Amino acid sequence: MGPDLSGSQREQPRFMVGAAIGTGMAAQSATRGGADFLIALSAGRMRCIGEPSVAAMLPLRDSNDFVLSFARSEILPRATVPVYFGAASFDPRLDLAELVERIAKAGFAGIANFPTSILIDGQYRAFLERSGVGFGRELELLRVARERGLSTLAYTHTAEEAVEAALQGADIVNIDLGWNVGGVLGAVSHLRVDDAGLIANAIAQQVRAVSRKTRCLIEGGPIVSPKQLEEFCQIARVDGYIGGSTIDRVPSESAIEVVTAAFKAIGMARQQPDGLDSRFNPRRFPRPLWGHSHAAETARALFNRLTTTDYPVVIAGEAGTGRREIARALHRFGPRQARDMVSLPCANQGAERLKLDLFGCMAGMHPSAVKHRLGWLEIVHSSSLLLDDVDEMPLEVQRALLDAVEAGSFWRYGSETPSPLNVRFLAIAGEDLRHLPAAGIDARFAEWLGCFTIVLPPLRERSEDLPSLIDESLRMIGLRRQSEPKSLDPAAFRALAAHRWPGNLRELDSVLEQAVLACSGSVILEQHLPPPGAEATSSARNFRSEKEWILHGLKRNRFRRSQTSEYLGISRKTLYNKMRTYGLQSAAGLEE
């Protein structure tokens, strides 16, 4: 069977995620990550052998036999969710009913029209349609599949194609935004995420106008990361997302490159007189720890002692001080570096939801758990879990987590057997947990997690560190632009030193980036500097009340709270508190 499209699901649709893949390993990993269905595609297999996805559109081999060969042996035996078959209908000699029967007997839950003519345009596309082997034939393939009792997923690109597929009864309409950008083999696209959101939203509205049963999902184009999908969903109301290159190619490329480079770096370090100790060269410290201030030296010394340990660590400081960079470095240098660190947001999360995210749940033991749900404590086994905004974690979750740490094991909801706890905890907080009021933090939890706390001072309190931080930022900007780094005129430096930097290092980087773009020479002058934070810090005076100012900032940044706090020049914690004070949580809609 395909994904659940029952009436109850349609009344309160669940956001679906599909993985268009080409190997059994990708199928297992995507399913463990929560994929609701898989699509076995020739493009997925092409990516696995090092070719771009578009190679699947070329007459290199029989696409249907190709997909059957690997999907039947690798994907179907390992799949615990429905699998769609990416079927090609270009061959005019192909008996569609016979093909559908082969696919059904192999055990596939549904059929998708891929490779597809929707990715072809111009005269060639027109010739395909006139010859009867274009999109119309693909819809005929899906019709035959429905009659055989299979679920159908229609790849579409335009509103006309999407509406036509919905009218003919497709269970899922996939609004394809074009080949994915990103990675080594990614396509080139000038479509921005917000423009893609507007396009997809308009298509989805037209589909819903003709069919209340059809689910609208999106795939491809500029959406390469979860963050970009989050931005997209602020604009478009869709029922889910299908990841192809973004699930199997892009993560694999980056992970393999990083691991290979790490092994290479170890080998290079062994050739140096100081061996592995060279990694503690000052230039190898994360940039937020650079400088000669007492606060920087204290934080750097503690970081140095903690890098090779497995202790829990809290990184405390204002937004923009580089807390996440420190956490990533602790994980990268630590004993669990072989696996990726995972970040879990703790702010503005209900206690029940957060406990489900942490501990997981057995199927049927909670309204949101229609199948076994792995918690992050289980997924991140042998790695590090970053608790983001841990000072906003509900008290009952703090106590439940501490109980698990003390016991060395935890229970999924509804499970009769415990799971071993093997996680290093890192955390980000606005300030030292042990200094917070008892009403907001459990004392035992603070003592355990906050035993080792790296405090990052705000930039305004470490002005003596400003020269080295500016030099490094300009050096990094030069590397990104593949040009010699620019230098600062003394007057420009004085202007930067006089600023209060409410956005801390993040704001400094943004100001310098704009200054480099504005400067055509090699020296940045004062007139090249944007007014640092002027728009954000002075805009409050343009409103009748602080509530209007906060709401204006939220709307301007599409209710993305990290960007809103940066825009307003206040910390995220301050923003959350003000939103509670003025009752603006409901106005925010989709939360970060």
Side-chain angles (χ1 to χ4, degrees), residues 505-546:
L505 285 176
R506 188 186 300 138
E507 184 185 1
L508 175 65
D509 290 341
S510 176
V511 166
L512 291 175
E513 190 89 50
Q514 294 177 65
V516 167
L517 288 173
C519 174
S520 58
S522 60
V523 179
I524 297 173
L525 304 177
E526 187 174 5
Q527 58 262 37
H528 296 139
L529 298 174
E535 183 182 13
T537 54
S538 65
S539 59
R541 294 193 291 267
N542 298 328
F543 296 87
R544 290 178 297 178
S545 67
E546 187 178 60

mmCIF file of all heavy atoms in Angstrom, residues 505-546:
data_model
loop_
_atom_site.group_PDB
_atom_site.id
_atom_site.type_symbol
_atom_site.label_atom_id
_atom_site.label_comp_id
_atom_site.label_asym_id
_atom_site.label_seq_id
_atom_site.Cartn_x
_atom_site.Cartn_y
_atom_site.Cartn_z
ATOM 1 N N LEU A 505 29.592 38.589 17.197
ATOM 2 C CA LEU A 505 30.433 38.207 16.066
ATOM 3 C C LEU A 505 29.634 38.069 14.771
ATOM 4 O O LEU A 505 30.137 38.380 13.694
ATOM 5 C CB LEU A 505 31.134 36.875 16.365
ATOM 6 C CG LEU A 505 32.297 36.922 17.353
ATOM 7 C CD1 LEU A 505 32.818 35.521 17.616
ATOM 8 C CD2 LEU A 505 33.414 37.802 16.815
ATOM 9 N N ARG A 506 28.400 37.606 14.879
ATOM 10 C CA ARG A 506 27.582 37.462 13.678
ATOM 11 C C ARG A 506 27.357 38.815 13.006
ATOM 12 O O ARG A 506 27.434 38.951 11.787
ATOM 13 C CB ARG A 506 26.244 36.819 14.038
ATOM 14 C CG ARG A 506 25.387 36.442 12.837
ATOM 15 C CD ARG A 506 24.027 35.953 13.266
ATOM 16 N NE ARG A 506 24.138 34.771 14.111
ATOM 17 C CZ ARG A 506 23.418 34.581 15.202
ATOM 18 N NH1 ARG A 506 22.553 35.497 15.608
ATOM 19 N NH2 ARG A 506 23.549 33.476 15.909
ATOM 20 N N GLU A 507 27.108 39.839 13.816
ATOM 21 C CA GLU A 507 26.909 41.176 13.275
ATOM 22 C C GLU A 507 28.216 41.722 12.700
ATOM 23 O O GLU A 507 28.223 42.357 11.645
ATOM 24 C CB GLU A 507 26.377 42.114 14.360
ATOM 25 C CG GLU A 507 26.055 43.517 13.863
ATOM 26 C CD GLU A 507 25.644 44.456 14.979
ATOM 27 O OE1 GLU A 507 25.624 44.025 16.147
ATOM 28 O OE2 GLU A 507 25.362 45.629 14.675
ATOM 29 N N LEU A 508 29.341 41.475 13.383
ATOM 30 C CA LEU A 508 30.641 41.918 12.883
ATOM 31 C C LEU A 508 30.919 41.333 11.507
ATOM 32 O O LEU A 508 31.342 42.045 10.584
ATOM 33 C CB LEU A 508 31.734 41.510 13.868
ATOM 34 C CG LEU A 508 33.176 41.801 13.433
ATOM 35 C CD1 LEU A 508 33.414 43.300 13.330
ATOM 36 C CD2 LEU A 508 34.173 41.166 14.402
ATOM 37 N N ASP A 509 30.686 40.029 11.340
ATOM 38 C CA ASP A 509 30.914 39.379 10.046
ATOM 39 C C ASP A 509 30.044 39.990 8.960
ATOM 40 O O ASP A 509 30.488 40.212 7.830
ATOM 41 C CB ASP A 509 30.633 37.884 10.154
ATOM 42 C CG ASP A 509 31.659 37.155 10.993
ATOM 43 O OD1 ASP A 509 32.761 37.697 11.206
ATOM 44 O OD2 ASP A 509 31.358 36.030 11.441
ATOM 45 N N SER A 510 28.768 40.268 9.301
ATOM 46 C CA SER A 510 27.851 40.839 8.319
ATOM 47 C C SER A 510 28.302 42.235 7.898
ATOM 48 O O SER A 510 28.295 42.574 6.703
ATOM 49 C CB SER A 510 26.440 40.892 8.903
ATOM 50 O OG SER A 510 25.539 41.528 8.023
ATOM 51 N N VAL A 511 28.712 43.056 8.855
ATOM 52 C CA VAL A 511 29.159 44.417 8.549
ATOM 53 C C VAL A 511 30.404 44.386 7.665
ATOM 54 O O VAL A 511 30.512 45.126 6.678
ATOM 55 C CB VAL A 511 29.434 45.187 9.858
ATOM 56 C CG1 VAL A 511 30.205 46.466 9.585
ATOM 57 C CG2 VAL A 511 28.114 45.510 10.562
ATOM 58 N N LEU A 512 31.353 43.519 7.994
ATOM 59 C CA LEU A 512 32.584 43.445 7.206
ATOM 60 C C LEU A 512 32.321 42.907 5.807
ATOM 61 O O LEU A 512 32.948 43.346 4.827
ATOM 62 C CB LEU A 512 33.615 42.580 7.923
ATOM 63 C CG LEU A 512 34.188 43.173 9.223
ATOM 64 C CD1 LEU A 512 35.094 42.175 9.909
ATOM 65 C CD2 LEU A 512 34.950 44.472 8.936
ATOM 66 N N GLU A 513 31.397 41.963 5.683
ATOM 67 C CA GLU A 513 31.038 41.432 4.361
ATOM 68 C C GLU A 513 30.476 42.544 3.484
ATOM 69 O O GLU A 513 30.837 42.674 2.300
ATOM 70 C CB GLU A 513 30.014 40.314 4.521
ATOM 71 C CG GLU A 513 29.742 39.519 3.267
ATOM 72 C CD GLU A 513 30.681 38.336 3.093
ATOM 73 O OE1 GLU A 513 30.847 37.553 4.033
ATOM 74 O OE2 GLU A 513 31.239 38.216 1.989
ATOM 75 N N GLN A 514 29.600 43.371 4.054
ATOM 76 C CA GLN A 514 29.034 44.476 3.285
ATOM 77 C C GLN A 514 30.104 45.506 2.932
ATOM 78 O O GLN A 514 30.106 46.067 1.834
ATOM 79 C CB GLN A 514 27.916 45.141 4.092
ATOM 80 C CG GLN A 514 26.704 44.253 4.333
ATOM 81 C CD GLN A 514 25.663 44.937 5.193
ATOM 82 O OE1 GLN A 514 25.063 45.944 4.785
ATOM 83 N NE2 GLN A 514 25.434 44.420 6.388
ATOM 84 N N ALA A 515 31.030 45.744 3.861
ATOM 85 C CA ALA A 515 32.091 46.717 3.607
ATOM 86 C C ALA A 515 33.016 46.253 2.484
ATOM 87 O O ALA A 515 33.435 47.053 1.639
ATOM 88 C CB ALA A 515 32.893 46.956 4.884
ATOM 89 N N VAL A 516 33.335 44.961 2.460
ATOM 90 C CA VAL A 516 34.191 44.421 1.400
ATOM 91 C C VAL A 516 33.518 44.577 0.040
ATOM 92 O O VAL A 516 34.156 44.928 -0.956
ATOM 93 C CB VAL A 516 34.526 42.946 1.692
ATOM 94 C CG1 VAL A 516 35.139 42.276 0.471
ATOM 95 C CG2 VAL A 516 35.475 42.839 2.878
ATOM 96 N N LEU A 517 32.219 44.341 -0.012
ATOM 97 C CA LEU A 517 31.491 44.499 -1.274
ATOM 98 C C LEU A 517 31.460 45.951 -1.723
ATOM 99 O O LEU A 517 31.505 46.253 -2.922
ATOM 100 C CB LEU A 517 30.062 43.970 -1.125
ATOM 101 C CG LEU A 517 29.897 42.455 -1.031
ATOM 102 C CD1 LEU A 517 28.459 42.091 -0.722
ATOM 103 C CD2 LEU A 517 30.336 41.798 -2.331
ATOM 104 N N ALA A 518 31.371 46.865 -0.761
ATOM 105 C CA ALA A 518 31.283 48.292 -1.106
ATOM 106 C C ALA A 518 32.639 48.883 -1.481
ATOM 107 O O ALA A 518 32.698 49.951 -2.106
ATOM 108 C CB ALA A 518 30.699 49.074 0.071
ATOM 109 N N CYS A 519 33.724 48.212 -1.109
ATOM 110 C CA CYS A 519 35.069 48.751 -1.323
ATOM 111 C C CYS A 519 35.678 48.176 -2.604
ATOM 112 O O CYS A 519 35.838 46.955 -2.723
ATOM 113 C CB CYS A 519 35.952 48.411 -0.113
ATOM 114 S SG CYS A 519 37.672 48.851 -0.320
ATOM 115 N N SER A 520 36.038 49.036 -3.539
ATOM 116 C CA SER A 520 36.646 48.571 -4.792
ATOM 117 C C SER A 520 38.167 48.463 -4.684
ATOM 118 O O SER A 520 38.801 47.808 -5.505
ATOM 119 C CB SER A 520 36.279 49.518 -5.941
ATOM 120 O OG SER A 520 36.706 50.840 -5.643
ATOM 121 N N GLY A 521 38.754 49.098 -3.682
ATOM 122 C CA GLY A 521 40.199 49.039 -3.503
ATOM 123 C C GLY A 521 40.607 47.983 -2.504
ATOM 124 O O GLY A 521 39.855 47.049 -2.204
ATOM 125 N N SER A 522 41.809 48.132 -1.960
ATOM 126 C CA SER A 522 42.329 47.146 -1.016
ATOM 127 C C SER A 522 42.158 47.572 0.440
ATOM 128 O O SER A 522 42.384 46.778 1.347
ATOM 129 C CB SER A 522 43.816 46.897 -1.293
ATOM 130 O OG SER A 522 44.553 48.105 -1.161
ATOM 131 N N VAL A 523 41.777 48.851 0.673
ATOM 132 C CA VAL A 523 41.640 49.368 2.031
ATOM 133 C C VAL A 523 40.196 49.817 2.262
ATOM 134 O O VAL A 523 39.649 50.616 1.500
ATOM 135 C CB VAL A 523 42.605 50.542 2.284
ATOM 136 C CG1 VAL A 523 42.415 51.073 3.708
ATOM 137 C CG2 VAL A 523 44.048 50.111 2.074
ATOM 138 N N ILE A 524 39.582 49.296 3.309
ATOM 139 C CA ILE A 524 38.204 49.659 3.649
ATOM 140 C C ILE A 524 38.217 50.980 4.412
ATOM 141 O O ILE A 524 38.845 51.092 5.467
ATOM 142 C CB ILE A 524 37.552 48.564 4.506
ATOM 143 C CG1 ILE A 524 37.476 47.256 3.713
ATOM 144 C CG2 ILE A 524 36.166 48.984 4.966
ATOM 145 C CD1 ILE A 524 36.997 46.078 4.530
ATOM 146 N N LEU A 525 37.522 51.979 3.857
ATOM 147 C CA LEU A 525 37.424 53.283 4.500
ATOM 148 C C LEU A 525 36.132 53.367 5.310
ATOM 149 O O LEU A 525 35.234 52.521 5.173
ATOM 150 C CB LEU A 525 37.454 54.384 3.443
ATOM 151 C CG LEU A 525 38.664 54.379 2.500
ATOM 152 C CD1 LEU A 525 38.531 55.480 1.465
ATOM 153 C CD2 LEU A 525 39.964 54.510 3.282
ATOM 154 N N GLU A 526 36.040 54.398 6.125
ATOM 155 C CA GLU A 526 34.864 54.534 6.988
ATOM 156 C C GLU A 526 33.585 54.643 6.182
ATOM 157 O O GLU A 526 32.541 54.126 6.583
ATOM 158 C CB GLU A 526 35.029 55.754 7.895
ATOM 159 C CG GLU A 526 33.945 55.870 8.942
ATOM 160 C CD GLU A 526 34.207 57.004 9.923
ATOM 161 O OE1 GLU A 526 35.186 57.754 9.735
ATOM 162 O OE2 GLU A 526 33.422 57.143 10.886
ATOM 163 N N GLN A 527 33.660 55.308 5.000
ATOM 164 C CA GLN A 527 32.440 55.461 4.203
ATOM 165 C C GLN A 527 31.957 54.139 3.589
ATOM 166 O O GLN A 527 30.825 54.046 3.110
ATOM 167 C CB GLN A 527 32.640 56.499 3.088
ATOM 168 C CG GLN A 527 33.780 56.199 2.122
ATOM 169 C CD GLN A 527 35.033 56.966 2.503
ATOM 170 O OE1 GLN A 527 35.329 57.150 3.685
ATOM 171 N NE2 GLN A 527 35.770 57.421 1.490
ATOM 172 N N HIS A 528 32.832 53.125 3.576
ATOM 173 C CA HIS A 528 32.417 51.819 3.062
ATOM 174 C C HIS A 528 31.608 51.027 4.089
ATOM 175 O O HIS A 528 30.959 50.040 3.733
ATOM 176 C CB HIS A 528 33.644 50.992 2.654
ATOM 177 C CG HIS A 528 34.419 51.580 1.528
ATOM 178 N ND1 HIS A 528 35.798 51.608 1.485
ATOM 179 C CD2 HIS A 528 34.015 52.207 0.390
ATOM 180 C CE1 HIS A 528 36.208 52.194 0.387
ATOM 181 N NE2 HIS A 528 35.142 52.569 -0.293
ATOM 182 N N LEU A 529 31.655 51.428 5.347
ATOM 183 C CA LEU A 529 30.960 50.684 6.394
ATOM 184 C C LEU A 529 29.470 51.009 6.399
ATOM 185 O O LEU A 529 29.097 52.179 6.334
ATOM 186 C CB LEU A 529 31.539 51.016 7.772
ATOM 187 C CG LEU A 529 33.005 50.673 8.019
ATOM 188 C CD1 LEU A 529 33.436 51.209 9.379
ATOM 189 C CD2 LEU A 529 33.226 49.172 7.959
ATOM 190 N N PRO A 530 28.614 49.998 6.481
ATOM 191 C CA PRO A 530 27.190 50.295 6.681
ATOM 192 C C PRO A 530 27.001 50.787 8.107
ATOM 193 O O PRO A 530 27.833 50.526 8.976
ATOM 194 C CB PRO A 530 26.523 48.933 6.474
ATOM 195 C CG PRO A 530 27.560 47.955 6.885
ATOM 196 C CD PRO A 530 28.884 48.550 6.493
ATOM 197 N N PRO A 531 25.937 51.533 8.384
ATOM 198 C CA PRO A 531 25.687 51.922 9.777
ATOM 199 C C PRO A 531 25.476 50.671 10.611
ATOM 200 O O PRO A 531 24.450 50.008 10.465
ATOM 201 C CB PRO A 531 24.409 52.775 9.697
ATOM 202 C CG PRO A 531 24.286 53.149 8.256
ATOM 203 C CD PRO A 531 24.918 52.056 7.467
ATOM 204 N N PRO A 532 26.432 50.263 11.452
ATOM 205 C CA PRO A 532 26.309 48.968 12.144
ATOM 206 C C PRO A 532 25.087 48.908 13.044
ATOM 207 O O PRO A 532 24.999 49.606 14.040
ATOM 208 C CB PRO A 532 27.603 48.884 12.978
ATOM 209 C CG PRO A 532 28.527 49.894 12.352
ATOM 210 C CD PRO A 532 27.648 50.975 11.819
ATOM 211 N N GLY A 533 24.143 48.082 12.665
ATOM 212 C CA GLY A 533 22.957 47.865 13.487
ATOM 213 C C GLY A 533 22.033 49.058 13.586
ATOM 214 O O GLY A 533 21.106 49.043 14.378
ATOM 215 N N ALA A 534 22.267 50.102 12.788
ATOM 216 C CA ALA A 534 21.474 51.327 12.955
ATOM 217 C C ALA A 534 19.996 51.079 12.705
ATOM 218 O O ALA A 534 19.140 51.530 13.456
ATOM 219 C CB ALA A 534 21.985 52.405 12.005
ATOM 220 N N GLU A 535 19.694 50.303 11.654
ATOM 221 C CA GLU A 535 18.288 50.074 11.316
ATOM 222 C C GLU A 535 17.578 49.318 12.433
ATOM 223 O O GLU A 535 16.465 49.648 12.826
ATOM 224 C CB GLU A 535 18.195 49.263 10.015
ATOM 225 C CG GLU A 535 16.768 49.040 9.553
ATOM 226 C CD GLU A 535 16.704 48.209 8.303
ATOM 227 O OE1 GLU A 535 17.719 47.611 7.927
ATOM 228 O OE2 GLU A 535 15.633 48.165 7.694
ATOM 229 N N ALA A 536 18.280 48.298 12.969
ATOM 230 C CA ALA A 536 17.628 47.484 13.993
ATOM 231 C C ALA A 536 17.490 48.224 15.308
ATOM 232 O O ALA A 536 16.431 48.229 15.922
ATOM 233 C CB ALA A 536 18.433 46.201 14.200
ATOM 234 N N THR A 537 18.596 48.879 15.752
ATOM 235 C CA THR A 537 18.560 49.456 17.088
ATOM 236 C C THR A 537 17.736 50.735 17.154
ATOM 237 O O THR A 537 17.205 51.067 18.198
ATOM 238 C CB THR A 537 19.995 49.740 17.567
ATOM 239 O OG1 THR A 537 20.649 50.558 16.592
ATOM 240 C CG2 THR A 537 20.773 48.445 17.718
ATOM 241 N N SER A 538 17.635 51.473 16.054
ATOM 242 C CA SER A 538 16.898 52.732 16.100
ATOM 243 C C SER A 538 15.440 52.572 15.693
ATOM 244 O O SER A 538 14.643 53.470 15.916
ATOM 245 C CB SER A 538 17.567 53.767 15.182
ATOM 246 O OG SER A 538 17.479 53.344 13.828
ATOM 247 N N SER A 539 15.105 51.414 15.074
ATOM 248 C CA SER A 539 13.757 51.274 14.531
ATOM 249 C C SER A 539 12.691 51.271 15.627
ATOM 250 O O SER A 539 11.540 51.562 15.352
ATOM 251 C CB SER A 539 13.656 49.981 13.710
ATOM 252 O OG SER A 539 13.953 48.865 14.523
ATOM 253 N N ALA A 540 13.039 50.938 16.858
ATOM 254 C CA ALA A 540 12.049 50.918 17.928
ATOM 255 C C ALA A 540 11.417 52.291 18.124
ATOM 256 O O ALA A 540 10.258 52.398 18.529
ATOM 257 C CB ALA A 540 12.690 50.437 19.227
ATOM 258 N N ARG A 541 12.183 53.323 17.824
ATOM 259 C CA ARG A 541 11.659 54.685 18.012
ATOM 260 C C ARG A 541 10.609 55.036 16.968
ATOM 261 O O ARG A 541 9.913 56.033 17.098
ATOM 262 C CB ARG A 541 12.816 55.690 17.962
ATOM 263 C CG ARG A 541 13.790 55.537 19.112
ATOM 264 C CD ARG A 541 14.702 56.745 19.186
ATOM 265 N NE ARG A 541 15.615 56.794 18.056
ATOM 266 C CZ ARG A 541 16.834 56.276 18.074
ATOM 267 N NH1 ARG A 541 17.274 55.656 19.153
ATOM 268 N NH2 ARG A 541 17.620 56.364 17.023
ATOM 269 N N ASN A 542 10.505 54.227 15.912
ATOM 270 C CA ASN A 542 9.546 54.512 14.847
ATOM 271 C C ASN A 542 8.168 53.904 15.113
ATOM 272 O O ASN A 542 7.286 53.994 14.266
ATOM 273 C CB ASN A 542 10.081 53.993 13.510
ATOM 274 C CG ASN A 542 11.377 54.672 13.115
ATOM 275 O OD1 ASN A 542 11.582 55.839 13.434
ATOM 276 N ND2 ASN A 542 12.249 53.951 12.436
ATOM 277 N N PHE A 543 8.003 53.251 16.268
ATOM 278 C CA PHE A 543 6.736 52.586 16.566
ATOM 279 C C PHE A 543 6.137 53.142 17.852
ATOM 280 O O PHE A 543 6.845 53.609 18.734
ATOM 281 C CB PHE A 543 6.964 51.073 16.672
ATOM 282 C CG PHE A 543 7.408 50.445 15.375
ATOM 283 C CD1 PHE A 543 8.760 50.396 15.043
ATOM 284 C CD2 PHE A 543 6.490 49.944 14.472
ATOM 285 C CE1 PHE A 543 9.175 49.854 13.850
ATOM 286 C CE2 PHE A 543 6.896 49.392 13.273
ATOM 287 C CZ PHE A 543 8.251 49.344 12.958
ATOM 288 N N ARG A 544 4.817 53.019 17.940
ATOM 289 C CA ARG A 544 4.115 53.575 19.104
ATOM 290 C C ARG A 544 4.358 52.752 20.354
ATOM 291 O O ARG A 544 4.238 53.276 21.456
ATOM 292 C CB ARG A 544 2.612 53.646 18.803
ATOM 293 C CG ARG A 544 2.231 54.700 17.757
ATOM 294 C CD ARG A 544 0.749 54.679 17.485
ATOM 295 N NE ARG A 544 0.330 53.397 16.917
ATOM 296 C CZ ARG A 544 -0.927 53.097 16.618
ATOM 297 N NH1 ARG A 544 -1.891 53.968 16.862
ATOM 298 N NH2 ARG A 544 -1.221 51.918 16.093
ATOM 299 N N SER A 545 4.679 51.482 20.193
ATOM 300 C CA SER A 545 4.903 50.639 21.363
ATOM 301 C C SER A 545 5.940 49.577 21.045
ATOM 302 O O SER A 545 6.228 49.297 19.875
ATOM 303 C CB SER A 545 3.592 49.950 21.789
ATOM 304 O OG SER A 545 3.183 49.015 20.797
ATOM 305 N N GLU A 546 6.486 48.993 22.099
ATOM 306 C CA GLU A 546 7.465 47.915 21.905
ATOM 307 C C GLU A 546 6.812 46.702 21.258
ATOM 308 O O GLU A 546 7.446 45.993 20.463
ATOM 309 C CB GLU A 546 8.081 47.534 23.252
ATOM 310 C CG GLU A 546 9.226 46.537 23.127
ATOM 311 C CD GLU A 546 9.857 46.216 24.460
ATOM 312 O OE1 GLU A 546 9.129 45.707 25.348
ATOM 313 O OE2 GLU A 546 11.070 46.444 24.611
#
